[in-house]
């Protein structure tokens, strides 16, 4: 017989966790009922898929029609029947994101999102929606349909790293945030190390923007390593009518990075993306700095729990994700995620942490000299020195 005792009342500090537990239980009950009526596409934990952008995606929740709400850590130990009797039944619904990881490409955006997904109050689209750059004309309902169902109080997130360098993205996201400021009522008390609310704009509603930044020189090399790897993959495919005769070699890194006169070419996207101060200036026309958090891509690898603590604070989340969720994997050379109940840590796929091609030290030095003033300007704007110079 089910245990029908009332769950013990929590102390005042635990009340938020208790409320979440109650909501999780109620939603799980509702979702289970819905799932028996509808065909449910269940996607196995850790199964991999290709997203809108062709990026390797971990656990593509966005495509599942009837989704079960993940059982949060806080929800253990309460009898489901009891909870449903006591609380209004709340059905999970798809909401537009209240926080977005907007960049930067090759910064560590997938690692950050996957770590955040361990949090019971965070649910995220698995694939990159590319809504505010490539798919804007598809409309908000298309965008919403990519999001996983959430309960009130849960945070909906997505990541699309190209937003940070997309000219139209700040105005578009700001407009969305103004329309959707009702959804997430978190404990928004963190300034997130972004330097306070003193930015040039007062817009953007409650939207929180997270940018993972990485040394622009290593970032550019990582970007180039991806281009090389994609080209190698293409060469391994049998030629089709469309690709036959198109086999072009990727030029060397140096050939792409420098113009004929020897100056650095900011027209090459791998160089341009690293001009963080210039991109940020556009965002600050639409969002105050306090709505943006800059995560160190380097520290995400060397001290992931510390960066996750900052991110959770900034997003108004309980500090659930900590040291115990990260285990360094010597073979992968990166921290991997330790999920509760999971036996082995889960590492990101082989497109994350690729070997980089060797670039001449002199080439690297010229790029460092090029980026130095831009980096200094970026540090000044955000009030933090990332130590790349
Ligand atoms: N835990 C963990 N595991 C694997 N990789 C990690 C991790 N943390 C950060 N990184 C770094 O993430 C880099 C890829 O960044 P993104 O996920 O932003 O790339 S992408 O723009 O979505 O393609 C990737 O860049 P490369 O090493 O150059 O491949 C990694 O250095």
């Amino acid at each position: 017989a089910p245990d029908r005792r009332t769950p013990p009342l929590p102390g005042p500090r635990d009340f938020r966790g208790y409320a979440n537990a109650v909501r999780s239980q109620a939603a799980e009950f509702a979702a289970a009922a819905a799932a028996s009526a509808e065909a449910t596409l269940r996607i196995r934990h850790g199964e991999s898929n290709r997203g809108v952008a062709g990026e390797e995606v971990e656990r593509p929740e966005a495509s599942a029609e009837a989704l079960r709400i993940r059982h949060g850590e806080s929800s253990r130990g309460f009898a489901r029947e009891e909870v449903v009797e006591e609380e209004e039944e709340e059905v999970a619904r798809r909401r537009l994101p209240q926080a977005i990881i907007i960049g930067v490409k090759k910064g560590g955006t997938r690692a950050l999102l996957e770590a955040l997904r361990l949090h019971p109050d965070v649910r995220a689209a698995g694939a990159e929606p590319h809504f505010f750059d490539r798919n804007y004309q598809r409309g908000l309902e298309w965008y919403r349909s990519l999001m996983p169902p959430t309960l009130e109080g849960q945070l909906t997130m997505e990541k699309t790293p190209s937003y940070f360098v997309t000219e139209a993205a700040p105005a578009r996201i700001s407009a969305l945030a103004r329309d959707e400021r009702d959804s997430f009522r978190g404990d928004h008390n963190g300034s997130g190390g972004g330097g306070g609310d003193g930015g040039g704009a007062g817009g953007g509603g409650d939207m929180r923007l997270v940018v993972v930044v990485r040394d622009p020189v290593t970032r550019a090399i990582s970007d180039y390593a991806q281009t090389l790897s994609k080209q190698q993959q293409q060469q391994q495919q049998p030629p089709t009518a469309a690709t036959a005769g198109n086999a072009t070699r990727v030029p060397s890194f140096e050939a792409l990075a420098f113009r004929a006169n020897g100056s650095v070419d900011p027209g090459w996207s791998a160089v341009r993306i690293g001009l963080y101060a210039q991109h940020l200036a556009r965002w600050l026309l639409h969002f105050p700095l306090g709505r943006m958090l800059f995560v160190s891509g380097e520290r995400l690898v060397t001290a992931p729990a510390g960066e996750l603590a900052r991110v959770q604070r900034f997003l108004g989340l309980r500090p659930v994700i900590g040291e115990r969720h990260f285990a360094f994997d010597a073979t992968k050379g990166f921290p991997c995620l330790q999920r509760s109940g999971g036996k082995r840590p889960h590492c990101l796929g082989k497109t994350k942490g690729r070997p980089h091609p060797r670039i001449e030290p002199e080439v690297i030095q010229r790029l460092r000299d090029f980026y130095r003033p831009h980096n200094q300007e970026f540090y000044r704007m955000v009030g933090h020195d990332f130590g790349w110079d």
Side-chain angles (χ1 to χ4, degrees):
D3 181 358
R4 303 189 72 81
R5 278 170 302 174
T6 306
L9 267 179
R13 286 169 64 86
D14 296 325
F15 191 74
R16 196 153 171 242
Y18 177 80
N20 282 334
V22 166
R23 279 200 293 269
S24 290
Q25 291 280 12
E28 198 194 19
F29 187 76
S36 63
E38 285 178 66
T40 306
L41 172 58
R42 279 184 208 283
I43 291 166
R44 275 202 315 278
H45 210 53
E47 198 175 45
S48 168
N49 193 11
R50 300 243 142 227
V52 178
E55 191 207 23
E56 190 178 314
V57 167
E58 319 278 319
R59 293 179 290 135
E61 289 162 283
S63 58
E65 257 318 298
L67 283 155
R68 287 187 308 160
I69 298 300
R70 243 183 305 160
H71 211 58
E73 293 196 353
S74 54
S75 64
R76 296 221 185 84
F78 300 114
R80 174 185 292 162
E81 289 82 354
E82 199 66 55
V83 169
V84 171
E85 268 177 18
E86 288 186 359
E87 289 290 312
E88 283 278 300
E89 198 173 288
E90 189 201 344
V91 178
R93 62 183 179 91
R94 296 179 199 277
R95 293 163 219 260
L96 295 168
Q98 301 101 1
I100 305 179
I101 300 173
I102 57 172
V104 300
K105 184 183 177 194
K106 307 318 296 175
T109 55
R110 175 56 61 189
L112 177 60
L113 190 68
E114 291 310 310
L116 278 170
R117 289 170 93 174
L118 297 179
H119 200 294
D121 297 339
V122 173
R123 306 216 67 221
E128 291 176 9
H130 279 274
F131 177 62
F132 297 103
D133 54 348
R134 299 179 204 154
N135 293 309
Y136 199 59
Q137 73 294 345
R138 292 183 185 236
L140 274 182
E141 286 317 305
W142 177 85
Y143 187 42
R144 191 195 300 276
S145 76
L146 301 182
M147 300 301 146
T150 50
L151 301 168
E152 207 190 317
Q154 281 184 314
L155 187 65
T156 301
M157 292 191 72
E158 67 119 323
K159 77 112 177 162
T160 304
S162 47
Y163 291 160
F164 188 60
V165 298
T166 298
E167 295 221 351
R172 289 173 173 179
I173 296 182
S174 172
L176 164 89
R178 276 199 306 275
D179 297 342
E180 280 290 312
R181 60 182 65 169
D182 58 334
S183 306
F184 179 60
R185 291 281 172 256
D187 180 18
H188 287 165
N189 53 6
S191 80
D197 269 320
D206 273 351
M207 177 65 80
R208 306 267 150 162
L209 303 172
V210 179
V211 196
V212 188
V213 286
R214 180 181 185 186
D215 177 346
V217 180
T218 14
R219 200 221 65 79
I221 299 172
S222 170
D223 209 330
Y224 180 71
Q226 173 162 295
T227 307
L228 288 180
S229 154
K230 284 189 172 166
Q231 198 232 15
Q232 276 161 13
Q233 270 172 15
Q234 251 174 27
Q235 281 174 348
Q236 283 157 12
Q237 302 292 321
T240 64
T243 60
N246 285 353
T248 47
R249 268 181 70 85
V250 178
S252 71
F253 183 85
E254 292 86 320
L256 292 165
F258 302 110
R259 295 194 187 105
N261 67 5
S263 64
V264 172
D265 186 358
W268 183 33
S269 69
V271 169
R272 190 175 57 89
I273 291 170
L275 298 171
Y276 302 146
Q278 290 185 13
H279 303 299
L280 177 58
R282 279 199 317 274
W283 287 90
L284 293 180
L285 298 174
H286 298 271
F287 289 88
L289 193 58
R291 295 275 160 189
M292 304 184 76
L293 180 75
F294 300 90
V295 173
S296 158
E298 286 79 19
R299 284 181 54 81
L300 205 52
V301 177
T302 57
E307 287 307 277
L308 262 294
R310 294 181 62 231
V311 178
Q312 289 171 98
R313 219 172 22 250
F314 173 71
L315 296 176
L317 295 165
R318 294 174 289 145
V320 169
I321 305 162
E323 297 286 355
R324 71 198 164 98
H325 292 102
F326 298 97
F328 184 80
D329 184 289
T331 313
K332 178 80 181 163
F334 283 92
C336 298
L337 291 179
Q338 186 67 61
R339 297 189 174 121
S340 49
K343 287 195 195 92
R344 293 220 332 238
H346 175 81
C347 299
L348 296 185
K350 58 184 185 320
T351 63
K352 307 297 172 185
R354 291 188 182 98
H356 288 187
R358 195 189 122 74
I359 307 293
E360 289 300 325
E362 179 258 342
V363 168
I364 292 182
Q365 193 52 53
R366 280 160 71 193
L367 276 174
R368 292 223 168 284
D369 293 343
F370 167 77
Y371 276 120
R372 191 169 300 108
H374 298 280
N375 288 345
Q376 296 299 327
E377 175 62 4
F378 178 65
Y379 301 160
R380 194 194 58 74
M381 289 167 89
V382 302
H384 180 78
D385 182 339
F386 284 85
W388 300 318
D389 303 295

